[in-house]
Amino acid sequence: MTDEPTTTPPRTVQLTVDGTAVSAAEGDRLLDVCRSLGTDVPTLCFGDTLTARNACRVCVVELDGNRTLVPSCSRPVEDGQVVHTDSDRVRHSRKLVLELLGSSVDLSLTEGVAAWNERYGADPGRFGEPAAPAAAGERDRLITGEHPDPDPDHAATVAQPPKVDNPLYVRDYGKCILCFKCVDACGEQWQNTFAISAAGRGFDTRIATEFDVALTDSACVYCGNCIAVCPTGALLPTAEFDLRAAANWAPERQHETTTVCPYCGVGCNLTLHVQDNEIFKVSSPSDHSVAHGNLCIKGRFGYVHVQPPRRRTG
Amino acid sequence: MFGAGGGTSSYQEVEDADLIVLWGSNARHAHPIFFHHVLGAVRRGAKLYVIDPRRTETAQWADLWLGPEVGTDIALANTMARVIIERGLVHQDFVEGATSGFEAFAASVQPWTLERGEAVTGVPAWAIEELAVAYARAGRAQLCWTLGITEHHNGTDNVLALINLALLCGHVGRYGSGLNPLRGQNNVQGGGDMGAIPNRLPGFQDLHDADVRRRFADAWQHPIRPEYGLNLSEMFDAMAEDHLKGLYVIGENPAQTEADSALALERLGRLDHLVVQDIVLTRTASLADVVLPATAAWCESEGTVTNSERRVQRVRKAVEPPAGARDDLAIIAELAERLGRPLGSTDSEAVWEEVRSLSPMHRGMSYPRLEALGGIQWPCPDEDRLEPPFLHGRLWADDPAERGPRAPFSVVHDAPPIDRLDAEFPLRLTTGRRLDSYNSGVQSGAFASPLRRGETIDLAPADAAALGVVEGETVRVVSRRGAVQAPVRLDRGLRRGLAFMTMHFPDEVDTNQLTIDASDPKAGTAEFKASAIRIERLTGPEPATPTAATAATATPTTPTTPTTPSADR
Amino acid sequence: MDLHLTRNEPSTPERDAVDDVLGAPADRTAAERAATGQILRAERGGQAVRDRRHLLLPALLALVDRVGWLSPEGLDHLSGRLGVAPAEVYGVASFYALIPLEARPTPTVAHVCVDLACRLAEGASEHRRRYDEDPTVTVVDSPCLGQCDRAPATLVSEPGSPARHRVDTTATDSSTSDPIATSDPIATAAIAQRGEPDLTLLRRVDVIEATDLDAYVAHGGYAALGRALDLGPAAVVDEIDAAGLVGRGGAAFPTGRKWAAVAAQAAQPHHLVCNADESEPGTFKDRVILEGDPFAVIEAMTIAAYATGCEHGWIYLRGEYPVARERLEEAIGLARGRGLLGADVMGRGFAFDLEVFRGAGAYICGEETAIFNSIEGYRGEPRSKPPFPVEVGLFGRPTLVNNVETLVNVLPIVAEGAAAYRRIGTAQSPGPKLFCLSGSVRRPGVYEVPFGRTLGELIELAGGLPDGRSLQAVLLGGAAGTFVGPEHLTLPLTFEDTRTAGTTVGSGVVLVIDDRADLVDLVGRIAAFFRDESCGQCVPCRVGTVRQEEALVRLRSGRHDRNEQDRDLALLDEVGRAMRDASICGLGQTAWNAIESALTRFSLFREDEP
C-alpha cells in the first residue's frame, strides 16, 4: 500500500533525422533527438526548466509533410517523422531569425550568437543603421495598435537605457529578445509572484511591471529566478553588471563552485560564481531536485556577509 | 517520530500530494523553495489548507485558511480528530494493524465537539469540519508544520496532536502522504542526525542503547557514558542555578536569540568561562572570554549538511576565508589534541567515512555517490541501492512481524499559552520571519534588500485605530518582561488582538526582551510564539528604556552563522 | 494568492463596473472585515478565486465602458477581486487596442477606420474631418471596422452607464442627409439580393426582424435543430462530413472531420467556440449574419454542441461590433426563454447554453488558439500546435471552433440533407459562399453565390465598377490574401481553382481597386496593419513585419537607386519567406502574401523596367 508512482517505460518511436534512422522515447521533443545525435541546433528561448515557448524560432527544422517549419524545442517526436535540420529552408529561416534579432536587440552577451551568425551567414546590419535608443521609459508608454510611420533611414530597435531601480539587479531591456522565460519563471511555472508580464503587442511588446512602476513598487521579491533563466544578459545581478561595466570582467580569473544555501533548511544548492575571491553571482543547478534552478532572495543575494570588506577576523 | 528524527516525505511527494496542510508555517516567506513544491501541487489541482493565526502570504494561497487563537493547536487538532471519528472516516485497517492507543485517544477527544472547538480556537465550526473531512478523505495528504507548532511551551504535545491525525487517516508511511516539520536552518536536521542533541549519538542513535554505545566505544577507544546531556533551556536553567559554569558556543548567538533576552544575558554573565566560535563577532562573542574565528561552513570549507527531506548534500569551499579564520573541524581537532585526545584526520571526507562506519543510515552515502546523485536521503544503508523517499513504509507491511512496533496515539490536552492576556497586557504578540531576513539578521543583514523595512510592531488596523496610533509611528511595546520601541505597521492579515514582530533586528529592536522563557519540557523550545503585550504611545520626551540604550550602543550588524545549530529555530 | 496591491481605492463607478461583472462579492465582506479588524478566522481563496479568470477581459471592458480607460486604481481593484496579479492584468490589458491605459483627452472616442476599403472610399477625408474638428471626441485610428460596404466608417464609443457605442457610416444609397446618423448596421444596400428565392444563408437577413423569434421559426428556423435531435449526434456529424463542408474562416479545414474529432474525445467537458472575431480587413459577412439572423447562429451552435457533446458555447465577438452583440444577447435571452437553450433544449433532455464574449481590439484573436487565451483571461497569443484544439483547447479541454459562416451552413445541411447541399457549388467546393464586395463597385455588400462563380460574375453582381473606372486589381481574401489583376476575372472562386491560380478564397473578401487607386498605398497599409496586429510572440513575425514595412517605406521614399531598390525587394522576399516558414501562426505566415502578390503581379517599384 505504498503506491509509489510506477514508471512504465515510454513507448519507442522511430524517425529519421538528416537521413539517419533513430529511435526515441515517446514524449521526447525533436530537439532532444537532435542533441542526442550530436546535431547542434541553436536555441535562444528554450529553457530546460520551463515549458518551451517556441518564440524565437531559431531552432526550427523541416518536417516532411508540414507546410511550415516546426520548432524542434517543442515538437514531440512521432513515428515515421522525417526531419531535416540543415535544409535550405531551415538555414534561411535561422539566418533571418538571427538577423532580425541581431538588428533589433543587443546580443553582445548572448552566448553562441557569433558562431551561429557565422554558420548561417547572417548579417544583422543589412536592414540599415540602427535607430537611436529610446529614452528611458519611452517604450513602456507605446500605445497598442498604433505606431508612427517608419523612418526610411533607420532600422527600429529596442535599444534603451538599462533600468536600475534597486540594489540587486539590473534590467537592461535593450538586450531583451522576448523569450518570455523571465515571465514564466516569475509566474505560474515557478515563483508565482507575477511581478512582471509581457505588455503591449507586436514589436512594442516589452517585459514590464504594471504601468512600468519601479521594481521597488512592484510585487518583485528579488528571488532572481528571472535572472537565472535570462539567455541574453538583459537581466544581470548588479554585482556582475558593475564588474562588466568597470571593464574588470575576467573569465580566466573566475570559477564556479556548488554548495548548499546557509539559510533555511530546504537545502537549495547554490552555485557561487567567483572572480578574484569575490562572489559576483549566485545561481542554482537547474537539474537538481530541490530547487530546479530557483532560489529566494536570501539564497540569491544573501552571500554578502562573507565578502570583504564586511568580514574580518583578528 | 516513531523512532526517526525527521520528516517522513520527500519534496517530490509534496508536489504529488492531493492535499497539503501547512500548520503554523509561513512557508511562502520562511521556506520559499519548499513552497515552490507546494505551488507545483496547487497548480496541478491539489488543495491547500493553511492554519495560522495570521492570514499570511502563505495563507493567501490556501483554498481554505483557518486562523485559530495562538496556542490552541491541540484544541483544533482534537476537534478535527473527533470529526474524523464521528463521521466514520478513520482508516480502520491502518489503525487496527499499525497503531496503538486508539481507544484512549478516541475517548480523550470525545469532549472536543465542534462547538467547543470553535469556542476555544475561534475558528468557525464549518471550517474545522471541512478541513477534517478533506484531510481524512484525501488520497495523498501532507501535513507540514514549522515553528508555529513547536515554539510553544507544549510544542512536543502540539506535534503529537498532528501525528494523531495522520495515524487516524493512515496518512503516513506511504508515497505522497506524510508528516513533515520544515527545518528552519540549513543543517538543523544534520546537527540532530550527527548527535548534536543531548540524547543521541551520530546516526540519531540512542545514547541509552548499549549496543550503540559499545560500537562507538570500540571505534573511539573510549567508553561512552549512558547519560543524556542538557538541552538548551536546561543549560540556561543550569546556569541560573550555577551548575553550569563553562559554555562553548559554536555558531549560535544566544545573547540575542533566547527568549527573555534580559534573563539570558544575566545567565550568560554568571558563567566562569565562555568560548564562542563563529564567523563574525556576534553579540554573544563580544561577551566571550575566548573567541575562535571560524570559516563559513557553507562556502569556505568542505563537508555535508542535511535538509528537511533528509537529503544529505555536500557543501564545498568556494572562497578563501579571511586570514585567521579556521575550519570548525580544525578548531575542534586542535582543542581535542590539546586536551590530549587527538581525533585523527580533519579532512572532511575522512570524517565522513567515520560517520558512515558508525551510522547505519548513512552507510551507503560515499562522497562520490553524494556528488553523482545530488545528495541522498537517509536512510541509505546500502551503497548499491536507494530506499523509498518516505519513511515508515513498514507500517503498511502485510506481515505483522515486518510491520514492527506500532505507532502510538498520544493523548494530549489543550494548554493555553503561559503568558496570559489580561487588562494590563491585552494583545497577543506572536513572532516569525520575513522573506529577506533570517534569525538575528547577521547573515541576511549584510545585503541590501529592497524589501527590508526594519523591525516593526505589526498591528491589526482596528487595533491601531483604537490605540490612536498610525502607520510609521514609533510606540513602546511592553510585556511582563521588558519593553522595546518600534514603529507601527498595519497588517490586514492580522485580526484584532493579534500583533506580530520578528527577531531580525535585535540591535535596533530586541524583540526577545518581550518573549517568555517558558519552555517545552521535552524539546527545550521556548514559547516565542505567544507573549502578552500592550502598546504605549510615546508622548513627550522619549523615556530611557533598555531598548534605547541598546540601540544607541550597538553596531549596525553583528553577523553570526549557526554552523551547528542546537535548536531548530 | 499573495498579491501586491497598492491599496489605492478605485472610484465608485470603477468599483461598480467591476462588481457588475464579478457579482456582488462574497469576499468584499472579508475585505471589509479585515479593514475594520473584525474577527478574521477563516477565509476561502485558492482555486475557487483563480477559477474566475475568464472574467478578466469582460471586467476590463466594463471598466473602459464605464470610465473610458483602465486606471491604476481600477486595475488594482480588479486584480484584488480576481486574484490575478497587477502585472498580469496590465499585460493582458495592454494587449488590446480597445483598452486605453491613459485617460483620453475626452471620454468619447471616435475610432476612425483607416483600413483598405475606407481608404478607397469617397469622402473619407471629409468623414474624418468631422471628428477631427469635434472638440468633444478624441480621434483614434482604427483597423478595419467591418463596415466596408458602407465605407468610410467610424466606431464612436462614449463611456457611461451604460456606455454607448455607435457605428457611423456613409451608406452608399442612404437617403438620410446626415451620414453620421446612419448607424443602422444593415444598410439596405448591403443585401442587394434580399428576398431572392434561391438564397440559403442570407434568406432571412433583412427579410425578418432579426430578433423576432416567431418570425425566425416561421421562416424555417429550428427545423434543423429538430431534425438533428431526431438523427442523433453521430448521424449529424456524418451528415456534415458527407456534405463536404469546409471552414469558411480562411483555412478551409473539413468541418465534419473536426466535429468527429471533438465528439470522440474522452476528456470532459467539451467546449464550443463560435469564432465571430471577424477582423480580416475587407470582411463583414459574419457581421451581416450576426446582426441580421442571430438565431441562425444560435441554432447552428446548438446543433454543433449536440453533435460534439458540448454543454457550453462561447461566441467570441469582435469588440467593434456593438450592434451584433446587442442582438445576439437579446436573441440568446429569447431562445433561453423559449427552452431553445438551457438545461433541457426543446424538451429533449439535452443541455446547452452559450454566451457572448467580447473581444477588445486584436486581429490576432481570430486565430483559433488565441481565442482560447483571450477567453481564459490571458494575452491573446496563439498557442503552439500540436496539440490541436480538438484535443486541448479552451480551458485545456477538447474544443470545437467554427467560424460564423461555417456554422450557419450547418442549418441547410441538417435540414435538407447532405445530398441536397452538395447540389450547390462544385464537387470540390460544395455549398454556397458569402463574398464581401467592397471598394470600387456600384453596390458593395455581402453576396451569396454557389461556389464556382467567377470573379468577374461576382463583380457584375455587385453592379460592376462605376462609370468611367477600369479595374486595376482585386484583393482576394483580405490582408492575408492576394492581389490579382484583370486577367483573373474569369477565375472561378472555388477552393481548388483559386489554389491553382496561386490565390485564395480566404474569408471571401473581394476588394475591387480601380485605376485611380494607389496600390502602393494599399500595400503600405497592409504592411502597417500586420506590424500593428502581430502579437509579438515569435521573432519572424514580430520583427519581420517591422522590417517589411521599413523596406516598403524606403522603396516608396523615391530616394533609391536601382541597386538599392533591388536589394530591398530581395530583402522583402527573404523576410517574407522566413515569416511564412517560421512564424507560429497564420498571421505571420500570411503577412507577406498580399505584399508579395502586389510586388510580383504588378511589378511595383520596377516601373523603369522595360
Side-chain angles (χ1 to χ4, degrees), chain C residues 281-284 434-441 445 455 458-459 474-478 493 505 507-513:
Chain C
T283 314
F284 48 93
L434 300 178
F435 285 97
C436 312
L437 273 287
S438 66
S440 197
V441 289
L455 177 57
L458 211 54
I459 293 175
V474 176
L475 178 63
L476 281 182
L493 294 180
V505 172
S507 59
V509 169
V510 178
L511 181 76
V512 179
I513 300 154

Side-chain angles (χ1 to χ4, degrees), chain A residues 54-55 57 69 89 92 95 103 126 144-145 147 150 152-153 156 177 194-195 197-202 211 217-218, chain C residues 4 85 87-88 91 94-95 361 379 531-535 537-539 542 547 549-550 554 559 574 581-582 584:
Chain A
N54 55 69
R57 316 301 279 188
L69 303 177
R89 283 175 70 192
H92 176 77
K95 172 186 142 184
S103 65
R126 67 184 175 125
T144 296
H147 69 278
D153 298 321
I177 60 166
F194 302 97
S197 167
R201 201 168 70 194
F211 293 102
D217 293 324
S218 78
Chain C
H4 177 89
E88 275 210 286
S94 62
F95 190 81
R379 291 163 56 83
R531 189 246 188 254
D532 275 341
E533 298 298 337
S534 166
C535 81
Q537 261 195 120
C538 71
V539 173
R542 180 178 75 234
R547 297 292 177 246
E549 192 192 11
E550 285 173 350
R554 284 196 298 272
R559 292 184 295 175
E574 287 196 38
D581 251 3
I584 291 177

Side-chain angles (χ1 to χ4, degrees), chain B residues 381-467:
Chain B
D382 294 305
E383 215 166 334
D384 47 10
R385 71 188 184 98
L386 292 175
E387 301 301 313
F390 53 89
L391 297 178
H392 312 305
R394 65 173 176 83
L395 295 172
W396 293 90
D398 292 332
D399 177 2
E402 215 181 301
R403 225 177 285 154
R406 286 169 175 270
F409 280 96
S410 309
V411 172
V412 284
H413 298 291
D414 175 46
I418 302 298
D419 207 16
R420 296 304 169 94
L421 300 179
D422 58 20
E424 204 183 345
F425 298 98
L427 292 178
R428 177 59 75 200
L429 173 69
T430 192
T431 60
R433 278 186 187 162
R434 296 204 194 278
L435 176 63
D436 62 338
S437 294
Y438 181 75
N439 290 6
S440 56
V442 279
Q443 289 185 105
S444 56
F447 79 101
S449 167
L451 302 172
R452 197 167 298 141
R453 302 285 180 270
E455 188 61 79
T456 54
I457 170 80
D458 294 5
L459 297 173
D463 281 335
L467 289 161

Side-chain angles (χ1 to χ4, degrees), chain A:
Chain A
M1 169 90 196
T2 54
D3 64 342
E4 201 167 346
T6 51
T7 46
T8 36
R11 210 169 66 85
T12 301
V13 302
Q14 308 293 329
L15 62 159
T16 306
V17 178
D18 296 334
T20 305
V22 56
S23 50
E26 196 167 44
D28 279 0
R29 311 281 145 167
L30 292 179
L31 182 64
D32 305 323
V33 178
C34 292
R35 287 188 169 165
S36 74
L37 287 170
T39 305
D40 181 31
V41 175
T43 57
L44 286 169
C45 72
F46 178 76
D48 57 353
T49 61
L50 297 162
T51 305
R53 265 288 194 143
N54 55 69
C56 76
R57 316 301 279 188
V58 80
C59 74
V60 287
V61 295
E62 191 169 349
L63 186 56
D64 281 4
N66 269 67
R67 188 170 44 84
T68 59
L69 303 177
V70 303
S72 61
C73 64
S74 62
R75 187 60 169 244
V77 296
E78 282 172 50
D79 247 331
Q81 282 170 331
V82 179
V83 181
H84 311 278
T85 69
D86 206 39
S87 67
D88 287 347
R89 283 175 70 192
V90 168
R91 292 184 63 88
H92 176 77
S93 280
R94 288 186 186 170
K95 172 186 142 184
L96 262 294
V97 164
L98 290 164
E99 288 180 338
L100 292 171
L101 275 180
S103 65
S104 55
V105 186
D106 173 4
L107 300 179
S108 58
L109 296 187
T110 309
E111 233 171 278
V113 161
W116 296 330
N117 281 346
E118 178 87 22
R119 190 201 300 173
Y120 295 104
D123 171 18
R126 67 184 175 125
F127 300 102
E129 277 294 303
E138 189 181 337
R139 281 187 56 80
D140 290 287
R141 291 189 298 270
L142 294 174
I143 294 174
T144 296
E146 297 177 13
H147 69 278
D149 287 336
D151 169 1
D153 298 321
H154 293 100
T157 75
V158 301
Q160 58 189 299
K163 290 183 197 283
V164 185
D165 56 9
N166 76 90
L168 298 181
Y169 72 104
V170 174
R171 296 179 293 151
D172 187 0
Y173 287 132
K175 295 189 174 74
C176 176
I177 60 166
L178 290 172
C179 67
F180 303 105
K181 282 155 75 174
C182 57
V183 175
D184 289 344
C186 183
E188 196 163 317
Q189 291 189 36
W190 289 116
Q191 179 59 29
N192 282 277
T193 289
F194 302 97
I196 47 170
S197 167
R201 201 168 70 194
F203 191 71
D204 303 343
T205 307
R206 62 271 176 186
I207 306 301
T209 58
E210 63 275 16
F211 293 102
D212 188 38
V213 298
L215 276 187
T216 44
D217 293 324
S218 78
C220 181
V221 292
Y222 307 91
C223 62
N225 294 327
C226 53
I227 305 173
V229 295
C230 179
T232 64
L235 303 172
L236 285 182
T238 305
E240 179 179 349
F241 185 87
D242 289 348
L243 204 55
R244 288 176 183 274
N248 190 24
W249 186 249
E252 68 284 357
R253 302 203 305 271
Q254 295 173 1
H255 70 270
E256 294 173 15
T257 303
T258 298
T259 185
V260 177
C261 181
Y263 290 100
C264 81
V266 174
C268 303
N269 283 217
L270 305 183
T271 300
L272 307 180
H273 301 244
V274 180
Q275 176 176 319
D276 304 334
N277 211 42
E278 285 195 39
I279 300 164
F280 63 85
K281 177 168 110 173
V282 178
S283 62
S284 180
S286 61
D287 58 355
H288 196 274
S289 66
V290 169
H292 299 283
N294 298 296
L295 293 172
C296 75
I297 182 173
K298 299 187 290 294
R300 183 86 57 190
F301 297 108
Y303 59 83
V304 177
H305 64 282
V306 295
Q307 297 276 85
R310 291 179 175 273
R311 176 158 163 257
R312 57 189 195 301
T313 50

